Amino acid sequence: MTYAVAQAAAILATALFIFSLYWMNDPKTARHAVVAGVTGMVVAVLATWFQPEIVHHGWIVLAIAAGFLVGVPLSLVPLTAVPQRTALSHAFGALAASLVGISEYYLHGAGLGQFKMSALSFEVLLGSLTTTGSLVAFAKLQGLMPGSPLTYKGQNIFNLSLLAVTIICFVCLLFFPGASLLFYLMLILAFTFGVLLVLPIGAADMPVVIALLNSYAGLAAAATGMVIGNNVLIIAGTLDGGSGFILSIVMCKAMNRSITNVLFGAFGSVSETTQASEGQMREIGLDDVAVQLAYARQAVFVPGYGMATAQAQHVLRELADALEDRGVTVKYAIHPVAGRMPGHMNVLLAEASVPYSQLQELEVINPEFPSTDVAVVIGANDVVNPDARDNPKSIIAGMPILEVDRAKIVVVLKRGQGKGFSGLVNPLFFKPNCGMLYGDAKESLTNLVQAVHNA
Ligand code: NAP
């Protein structure tokens, strides 16, 4: 009876996880996706808890309490800190997988068959390297250590050799599962490899690495499911691993990078970022911008990280409303890696009730820029850097950008001369059709709404 209920619960949880991923595809159903995911997790935890072999209920209650203690503050971080929060979550998930593997090995060691031993070693290897890799990614994104790539001579050869020794330990363990020294050596090497893997990665590549670590954490969880015979864990881990991997590929495409290049290319190292820019930035007055917008036929807003930090999405919507009242066509151009997490701009604009139909993806909006009267860049920088298109020597060469420089007039809202995430100078700001409206994005937009009403 208990077995049948557990199987039914496993099927229900699995279905909820699959629907959760499916509903995440569309902002209209994204809330259902969150509810389905949370419900699936609650069902999975309860179904596992009520198994007859679980006898120490006090420990489960303690673990749930500890989860709440850590999880609640983590859920309160601002959206701009979500990448580092996600990195921490991956570290926790991967550490859990690794610890389960270590305890299983400690309990059964030499008695494990070849299949279980391979799943267990895989789980410990991936779990351990993901734990330390995610912690380094967290430290970089949180500014606790330099965000730029940390490189040294022979780094790739050293890292690959270390990985090779780790894999040799892995293979040997399949034939000699009782060789505990090898197991613990593999564990230490995997923890070390995680650190070394992420140290040389920096700048704009961090989002891809986070997605990749997500994938590793999921696969480690799936392997845990195989070791302890938990089907929900196998399915949830595989879904997590698969979706994380697809996300890394999508992000690589959005930045025109290959996974190997991300992992071994040390993109964004300081020596590569030096570049020249010609001309002078031209400051533009608020009233001029208001008049240009008020009499435009089409205005395109290009939000970026600065809009998120300024929390300017609501007042941006107010400006759009004021312009639409005057007959201006308003569109929003969305770059896949604008902000600090995938879908960051979509989430913020949805929060401000911007109609989803006005959000245009890169391929759709780029051909429209030449016929756009005013493109307003709100705290975006890297995603509108024309060097990616025009300068083959730039470290972001080939990364698809929003081609705002092709609009008739470009207005950039930013606080000063600050650079973007990649640390590059942006030649857009020096172009003759570009004017800089300095100030906090929310403040500038608030003043613009007023000025448009008066125009
Ligand atoms: P960005 O290149 O990081 O530039 C943001 C700009 O916003 C800065 O130049 C800054 O200039 C300005 N800014 C900051 N606070 C502001 C405020 N309160 N008001 C007005 N302006 C403000 O942003 P992006 O163009 O959105 O590009 C995103 C970058 O992050 C890409 O390089 C991407 O690869 C990377 N990234 C993306 C993700 C993701 O998944 N989306 C995750 C991690 C990293 P001032 O200081 O002069 O104001």
Side-chain angles (χ1 to χ4, degrees):
M1 176 65 188
T2 322
Y3 179 77
V5 172
Q7 291 306 305
I11 293 170
L12 178 64
T14 303
L16 286 166
F17 290 145
I18 292 171
F19 273 112
S20 173
L21 275 181
Y22 176 69
W23 283 329
M24 276 290 172
N25 270 323
D26 193 323
K28 288 193 226 73
T29 50
R31 279 179 202 275
H32 301 320
V34 175
V35 174
V38 172
T39 315
M41 195 51 83
V42 171
V43 171
V45 169
L46 291 180
T48 311
W49 192 354
F50 292 120
Q51 291 304 300
E53 59 265 34
I54 308 281
V55 284
H56 299 294
H57 297 285
W59 284 107
I60 308 272
V61 173
L62 203 70
I64 291 176
F68 266 95
L69 218 65
V70 177
V72 171
L74 274 185
S75 70
L76 299 177
V77 302
L79 266 184
T80 45
V82 163
Q84 49 269 51
R85 193 209 66 89
T86 312
L88 260 192
S89 309
H90 295 161
F92 288 140
L95 183 63
S98 190
L99 288 177
V100 170
I102 295 168
S103 68
E104 282 292 306
Y105 185 78
Y106 180 76
L107 290 176
H108 306 295
L112 290 162
Q114 207 168 37
F115 173 75
K116 269 209 169 173
M117 192 61 216
S118 62
L120 188 146
S121 300
F122 185 74
E123 165 195 358
V124 168
L125 199 159
L126 268 191
S128 309
L129 76 86
T130 305
T131 305
T132 47
S134 300
L135 287 176
V136 174
F138 166 77
K140 282 189 168 212
L141 289 165
Q142 187 64 24
L144 301 178
M145 61 185 287
S148 55
L150 292 175
T151 54
Y152 52 88
K153 216 166 161 238
Q155 188 171 32
N156 283 342
I157 295 189
F158 181 76
N159 288 359
L160 287 175
S161 314
L162 197 96
L163 180 64
V165 178
T166 318
I167 291 173
I168 291 172
C169 293
F170 175 96
V171 175
C172 291
L173 277 166
L174 301 187
F175 298 100
F176 310 103
S180 57
L181 263 184
L182 270 186
F183 179 80
Y184 292 111
L185 176 65
M186 181 185 79
L187 183 69
I188 293 168
L189 290 176
F191 274 127
T192 314
F193 183 71
V195 175
L196 299 178
L197 179 76
V198 181
L199 278 185
I201 302 171
D205 280 343
M206 284 316 281
V208 182
V209 175
I210 301 281
L212 210 58
L213 290 169
N214 174 10
S215 167
Y216 292 171
L219 293 177
T224 309
M226 287 181 198
V227 173
I228 60 174
N230 185 319
N231 290 338
V232 184
L233 206 48
I234 297 175
I235 296 166
T238 312
L239 288 173
D240 192 16
S243 54
F245 191 67
I246 293 171
L247 184 59
S248 10
I249 306 262
V250 169
M251 294 183 91
C252 274
K253 273 198 183 152
M255 296 157 76
N256 197 34
R257 317 255 301 135
S258 69
I259 291 267
T260 41
N261 203 249
V262 168
L263 292 178
F264 305 112
F267 179 67
S269 50
V270 178
S271 61
E272 286 175 300
T273 57
T274 45
Q275 49 164 180
S277 51
E278 287 158 19
Q280 281 215 320
M281 294 194 201
R282 180 174 58 88
E283 191 170 350
I284 188 168
L286 187 92
D287 291 332
D288 291 341
V289 179
V291 170
Q292 286 163 350
L293 281 171
Y295 294 96
R297 259 175 308 143
Q298 171 157 298
V300 175
F301 292 135
V302 182
Y305 173 66
M307 183 190 79
T309 49
Q311 283 294 294
Q313 62 274 22
H314 296 280
V315 64
L316 177 62
R317 165 82 204 265
E318 279 178 43
L319 178 61
D321 288 347
L323 293 175
E324 281 176 329
D325 287 348
R326 300 183 67 112
V328 182
T329 304
V330 174
K331 292 181 180 172
Y332 298 78
I334 307 297
H335 191 285
V337 294
R340 290 292 182 272
M341 61 169 190
H344 199 168
M345 297 301 116
N346 304 61
V347 172
L348 292 178
L349 294 174
E351 188 190 305
S353 306
V354 170
Y356 201 65
S357 57
Q358 287 186 349
L359 272 52
Q360 310 283 307
E361 296 196 354
L362 199 121
E363 307 78 31
V364 178
I365 199 71
N366 270 345
E368 286 202 31
F369 278 119
S371 57
T372 295
D373 301 297
V374 191
V376 186
V377 176
I378 305 120
N381 193 336
D382 293 345
V383 299
V384 292
N385 188 337
D387 248 8
R389 181 194 60 214
D390 302 334
N391 177 5
K393 288 195 181 137
S394 168
I395 57 161
I396 57 167
M399 168 173 146
I401 51 150
L402 289 163
E403 299 184 314
V404 289
D405 58 322
R406 296 201 160 140
K408 290 173 193 154
I409 296 170
V410 188
V411 178
V412 178
L413 274 59
K414 68 202 292 284
R415 295 164 307 177
Q417 317 285 320
K419 291 177 180 157
F421 189 77
S422 69
L424 293 172
V425 174
N426 191 338
L428 167 75
F429 307 152
F430 300 87
K431 296 214 171 202
N433 63 338
C434 181
M436 311 295 291
L437 183 60
Y438 292 119
D440 174 75
K442 190 172 180 180
E443 246 176 76
S444 299
L445 287 169
T446 309
N447 295 336
L448 266 178
V449 175
Q450 199 53 46
V452 164
H453 282 307
N454 298 337

